[in-house]
Amino acid sequence: MNSGDIAWMLAATALVMFMTPGLALFYGGLVRKKNVLATIMHSFISLGIISILWVLYGYSLAFGTDVGGFVGGLNYLGLKGVGLEAGPYSDTIPHILFAAFQLMFAIITPALITGAFAERMKFKAYLIFTIAWTTLVYFPVCHWVWGGGWLGEMGALDFAGGTVIHINSGVAALACALFLGKRLGYGTNAIAPHNVPMTVLGAGILWFGWFGFNAGSALAANETAAMALFVTQIAAGAGAVAWIIGEWFYQGKPTTLGAASGAVAGLVGITPAAGFVGPMGALVIGIGAGIICYFAVVAKNRLGYDDALDVVGIHGIGGLWGALATGLFATAAIGGVDGLFYGNPGQFGVQALGAVVTIVFSFGVTAAILKVIDLTVGLRATPEEENQGLDLSEHSEVGYTW
Amino acid sequence: MKKVEAIIKPFKLDDVKQALNEMGVTGMTISEVKGYGRQKGHKEIYRGAEYVVDFVPKVKLEIILDDSQVDAVVDIIVKAANTGRIGDGKIFVTPVEQVIRVRTGERGTDAI
């Protein structure tokens, strides 16, 4: 045990927890005001649902004894044997603290997907979806990379979850957007954000929490954590600047929402690479994320699928860019592994394989889950409920009384 | 009695109110409204998607007057709210059948 490591990981766990309410505000500001609470609720209640799953069986499926490289075993059901002593994943912090830290990642990942089906999904369907998706997609993929599964064994680098969290949720979001269809009036009526300041506040909270997300993924108060924190800041800042420059050239105005979106894109991009790249690598990753994600979002408007809050464009594409870029810019001087630009082209191949398998698995299982829910309880709110707004129709409350 | 209903640019409200106060108009009701006429709306961009917003924010004043004051009040509003550019607004004058002061029950011009 190391008290410095324990102190940092306690703080980092709280920082990552704070990202989910931040995400709630980030998303809440982007919807119309009749759906603000329903949208915030999707993220917020994930803090509750996933905590319960995690204790009962989630931690075990993700981090239990490996079963065929695919999923964790049932040896940690009910967190049996997960306690104060150091666990198999870190010698210097209590096992229960590792489980707490990882829980916060499991909470935010399904919350990220909710941006894709915002403003039109029934709350009951959302609850079933979140439980099923986290169980059937998140826990296995988390195991593949961090729990002793096949991807981690193969040497795929994913420091804080570019593949596990961002590609995974982004691809699930694409399946949701395609399966649920467009919001009523999409493409004909103006469906604009109702509170951009709320979204910018949410982005700020995400940015702040991300230091725990990335630097905490070192699982220790050490040199790697320091570099991970620094590159997180560089990539986020570069992403914000790159996005507004992109839109300034392409559409004539730099927007506040663009700055906030670009910062999040930069954070997504650096997530797998933090701990493996240096500041210059982070700069390139951040700039690339800002530009690539901006054009991915513009492309969505042309392609016409209604990924309401751009989970695909920012988390899916940004996560893919980050996973691949890690295979380019990783340097042994920082994380012990070289990428393509440091003479190790094989790493790029491993990164690409991890991304592709995750994309196929996540899309397929997500589509199957959606199909089953659609045939049983139904996914979409009725047109009347959608027009009225989900705050009233699903929750009997409104965000604003003026 | 007449009702003068004026739709003006929001930033001109203080000028109009001050000018009306100076000529002795002692009360008015305003509301924030949106609408469009010949003035075009504006473009908003959110994450690359462009929206044309047709409805432009305006302020609507409602003032109840004795017939004798109407022309002077209309002239004052036109003068104070004018910028010379499209979108300065419109004024409507309509007859009012009855006015009642809730506190005392007074009716007609005494209640204005």
Side-chain angles (χ1 to χ4, degrees):
Chain A
M1 293 289 178
N2 177 309
S3 62
D5 289 352
I6 295 172
W8 163 236
M9 291 310 295
L10 289 167
T13 301
L15 281 168
V16 182
M17 175 272 160
F18 196 38
M19 290 172 71
T20 298
L23 180 71
L25 296 178
F26 185 69
Y27 281 171
L30 288 173
V31 297
R32 291 163 292 178
K33 69 180 176 190
K34 64 184 178 180
N35 295 312
V36 61
L37 294 177
T39 303
I40 285 175
M41 182 69 152
H42 283 168
S43 292
F44 199 85
I45 204 64
S46 178
L47 285 158
I49 299 164
I50 309 303
S51 296
I52 296 170
L53 298 190
W54 197 243
V55 170
L56 296 180
Y57 63 83
Y59 181 72
S60 199
L61 291 186
F63 291 99
T65 307
D66 182 57
V67 179
F70 180 74
V71 71
L74 301 178
N75 52 313
Y76 293 140
L77 277 190
L79 291 189
K80 184 164 60 74
V82 179
L84 305 182
E85 65 288 355
Y89 298 98
S90 166
D91 298 332
T92 62
I93 64 171
H95 196 177
I96 196 71
L97 178 53
F98 175 78
F101 181 67
Q102 283 293 335
L103 165 59
M104 303 311 167
F105 287 66
I107 287 169
I108 199 167
T109 309
L112 288 169
I113 304 170
T114 65
F117 51 70
E119 304 197 285
R120 60 202 189 281
M121 198 180 203
K122 287 203 287 200
F123 187 66
K124 193 198 285 179
Y126 155 78
L127 288 176
I128 298 169
F129 174 79
T130 290
I131 292 168
W133 190 87
T134 308
T135 303
L136 300 174
V137 181
Y138 182 78
F139 295 151
V141 174
C142 176
H143 180 80
W144 296 356
V145 179
W146 295 326
W150 68 276
L151 253 178
E153 291 300 306
M154 216 169 65
L157 300 181
D158 191 1
F159 193 72
T163 301
V164 177
I165 289 161
H166 296 291
I167 294 180
N168 201 2
S169 61
V171 169
L174 179 62
C176 289
L178 294 174
F179 206 94
L180 263 84
K182 299 171 188 179
R183 287 166 289 177
L184 295 178
Y186 181 80
T188 51
N189 300 1
I191 303 181
H194 90 285
N195 191 338
V196 174
M198 181 190 283
T199 296
V200 177
L201 174 62
I205 293 172
L206 282 169
W207 189 333
F208 177 70
W210 226 295
F211 292 124
F213 198 86
N214 286 357
S217 290
L219 298 178
N222 61 13
E223 302 85 337
T224 308
M227 182 56 88
L229 183 142
F230 186 76
V231 297
T232 299
Q233 172 65 22
I234 299 308
V241 172
W243 186 301
I244 65 162
I245 289 175
E247 61 184 1
W248 207 339
F249 271 103
Y250 191 67
Q251 283 179 309
K253 289 282 169 68
T255 68
T256 313
L257 177 56
S261 307
V264 173
L267 289 163
V268 169
I270 198 65
T271 294
F276 298 116
V277 303
M280 289 310 293
L283 200 55
V284 178
I285 288 173
I287 292 169
I291 296 280
I292 291 168
C293 293
Y294 168 63
F295 282 105
V297 166
V298 170
K300 178 205 72 169
N301 294 327
R302 302 276 157 79
L303 292 171
Y305 64 93
D306 186 11
D307 171 18
L309 312 182
D310 295 310
V311 189
V312 180
I314 294 176
H315 296 277
I317 302 298
L320 184 60
W321 159 245
L324 298 177
T326 304
L328 300 175
F329 297 104
T331 165
I334 289 165
V337 184
D338 277 328
L340 188 140
F341 292 162
Y342 293 87
N344 180 16
Q347 190 60 46
F348 184 80
V350 172
Q351 296 301 111
L353 177 70
V356 169
V357 175
T358 303
I359 288 168
V360 172
F361 178 77
S362 179
F363 191 91
V365 180
T366 304
I369 293 169
L370 292 168
K371 184 74 187 168
V372 171
I373 297 174
D374 199 30
L375 290 175
T376 50
V377 297
L379 285 167
R380 268 190 88 130
T382 65
E384 293 73 31
E385 291 165 340
E386 196 178 329
N387 283 329
Q388 187 183 37
L390 302 184
D391 289 4
L392 256 183
S393 69
E394 295 293 296
H395 305 291
S396 284
E397 53 186 346
V398 292
Y400 310 96
T401 51
W402 65 85
Chain B
M1 292 173 292
K2 294 276 195 290
K3 176 160 86 165
V4 173
E5 216 172 347
I7 294 171
I8 62 170
K9 287 183 168 167
F11 77 95
K12 278 291 187 183
L13 176 62
D14 282 342
D15 292 348
V16 171
K17 191 187 95 190
Q18 199 180 344
L20 289 171
N21 275 341
E22 279 164 11
M23 72 161 291
V25 173
T26 53
M28 67 182 73
T29 304
I30 67 155
S31 35
E32 293 175 15
V33 296
K34 290 178 179 182
Y36 66 90
R38 288 186 213 170
Q39 185 187 13
K40 274 189 278 181
H42 59 264
K43 187 175 75 174
E44 295 179 11
I45 306 175
Y46 298 102
R47 281 197 179 151
E50 295 186 4
Y51 303 95
V52 176
V53 177
D54 289 321
F55 292 98
V56 184
K58 298 283 171 191
V59 166
K60 182 168 82 173
L61 296 85
E62 288 167 278
I63 311 168
I64 309 301
L65 297 164
D66 187 70
D67 291 1
S68 62
Q69 296 174 286
V70 169
D71 287 341
V73 163
V74 166
D75 288 346
I76 287 280
I77 295 174
V78 166
K79 202 165 146 226
N82 188 286
T83 67
R85 280 185 294 278
I86 205 161
D88 273 353
K90 288 213 167 45
I91 300 174
F92 310 109
V93 181
T94 48
V96 172
E97 248 176 50
Q98 186 58 285
V99 176
I100 300 107
R101 174 170 283 128
V102 172
R103 176 170 57 86
T104 59
E106 285 165 285
R107 285 165 188 262
T109 49
D110 291 343
I112 294 176

